[in-house]
Amino acid sequence: MITSNPFVELSAFIAPGVMQAYVVLMILLVIGGTLLDVKHKKSAQYFFEKGKSLKKLAKREVGSAEKMSLAVSTLANEVLASGEFENPDRRKSHLLMMYGFVTFVVTTAILIFGVEGETSGFVPLLWHLGALMVSVGGYWFWFKIRVDVRSEGHAWHDVHLSDLFIVSLLLTTTLALAWSLLGSMLIFALFIAAATTLFGTVYWSKLAHMFFKPAAAFQKKVAKADGSLDKLPELHELTDPLVKERYPDIPEYMGDNPPYMGLGIKREAPNHY
């Protein structure tokens, strides 16, 4: 039943303390992997140094209240609504995976740490719903958006290291649902293997980028507000003599009168191959 805690029956074979220790270990692996990723890519140093360099180009001071407003805007648009995705299908699949993943992870912790007490049937329902949301969004992304044999040569079975996050995530939620419905210990073992891969390979996967993207989006908003513009000119100013003086390589790459560059990411999908 999807309204019963699937970890209760498991506690007859595995002590609740062991399950709880596993959850704590996964949290530590995510934290450790993220810190290693930050150190390896020097992400924090990059944002700090870039912020200092942009501040020198700022035309106005952005106050604390305005920065708070920009932070809220970043949270609402780029984080909660995934506004950076122009492709509507990609955005929908991402939202399904994001909210499903958060729901699944939080309810997993609640169910495991509450395995010895009374757990509301609503929490197990959310656990199954979260896993289902991730699966629907993930398989939608994998088979409809990522697979592109016609224009880019990506077959569904063409898996690379960069796919480690999405593959381990899909295996985790799919096997979780299968284990809950079938009760097989073999499926449970595979579920744990997939989950361990998901949380234990943060250093090599895309999981850590969820912390960097909001920071980059916020910094971009601040740069626009203070006039530093991320060291880029306003598009409508490309022909301005002052802009050409500041960016002398513009004529070299775009001519004296920069042309209209087209729709970019909003262009027609490449389907004439």
Side-chain angles (χ1 to χ4, degrees):
M1 292 291 291
I2 62 174
T3 56
S4 60
N5 186 343
F7 297 98
V8 170
E9 293 185 13
L10 183 65
S11 62
F13 305 95
I14 302 176
V18 174
M19 291 189 282
Q20 293 163 8
Y22 175 81
V23 172
V24 173
L25 177 61
M26 293 303 103
I27 294 173
L28 293 175
L29 285 176
V30 170
I31 295 173
T34 302
L35 292 177
L36 285 174
D37 188 74
V38 169
K39 181 180 179 181
H40 173 68
K41 296 178 180 176
K42 300 182 179 179
S43 305
Q45 180 182 345
Y46 166 78
F47 285 119
F48 178 73
E49 292 180 353
K50 184 178 180 181
K52 286 180 61 178
S53 64
L54 291 178
K55 194 171 183 179
K56 296 177 182 178
L57 301 174
K59 298 177 181 178
R60 58 181 290 265
E61 183 73 24
V62 179
S64 299
E66 188 175 359
K67 284 185 178 179
M68 180 61 70
S69 176
L70 292 174
V72 172
S73 173
T74 302
L75 177 64
N77 297 323
E78 277 71 26
V79 179
L80 298 181
S82 299
E84 77 274 16
F85 291 108
E86 292 289 347
N87 184 327
D89 285 344
R90 181 68 185 92
R91 185 179 186 184
K92 292 171 186 174
S93 70
H94 179 81
L95 287 171
L96 278 171
M97 286 191 287
M98 180 179 70
Y99 285 108
F101 178 69
V102 172
T103 301
F104 177 74
V105 169
V106 172
T107 52
T108 296
I110 293 174
L111 292 175
I112 288 179
F113 280 91
V115 73
E116 295 178 293
E118 291 291 330
T119 304
S120 169
F122 183 64
V123 178
L125 180 62
L126 282 178
W127 184 80
H128 287 87
L129 179 62
L132 184 62
M133 288 171 64
V134 171
S135 299
V136 171
Y139 287 117
W140 183 6
F141 164 74
W142 188 268
F143 289 106
K144 186 179 186 298
I145 301 171
R146 182 191 177 281
V147 172
D148 190 356
V149 178
R150 179 169 51 183
S151 63
E152 295 186 21
H154 294 319
W156 70 268
H157 52 78
D158 186 15
V159 181
H160 303 279
L161 183 62
S162 59
D163 300 313
L164 181 61
F165 172 69
I166 182 64
V167 171
S168 59
L169 176 61
L170 281 175
L171 285 175
T172 298
T173 55
T174 302
L175 291 167
L177 290 172
W179 164 64
S180 175
L181 294 175
L182 302 176
S184 168
M185 290 303 293
L186 174 60
I187 295 178
F188 174 75
L190 294 174
F191 162 48
I192 292 300
T196 304
T197 302
L198 173 64
F199 296 113
T201 59
V202 172
Y203 180 72
W204 299 276
S205 78
K206 292 179 63 178
L207 185 59
H209 89 296
M210 69 174 63
F211 305 108
F212 308 142
K213 288 181 69 177
F218 173 71
Q219 191 175 66
K220 185 177 180 180
K221 288 179 181 291
V222 173
K224 185 175 182 179
D226 66 17
S228 59
L229 298 174
D230 211 11
K231 298 183 180 181
L232 297 173
E234 289 278 12
L235 292 179
H236 66 276
E237 296 179 347
L238 287 176
T239 57
D240 190 311
L242 293 177
V243 173
K244 288 186 177 182
E245 182 181 353
R246 183 177 175 185
Y247 304 96
D249 56 342
I250 286 180
E252 179 183 348
Y253 294 105
M254 304 179 69
D256 290 331
N257 296 302
Y260 172 63
M261 302 301 290
L263 294 174
I265 197 172
K266 296 181 180 178
R267 72 191 187 282
E268 178 187 4
N271 55 12
H272 304 293
Y273 295 86

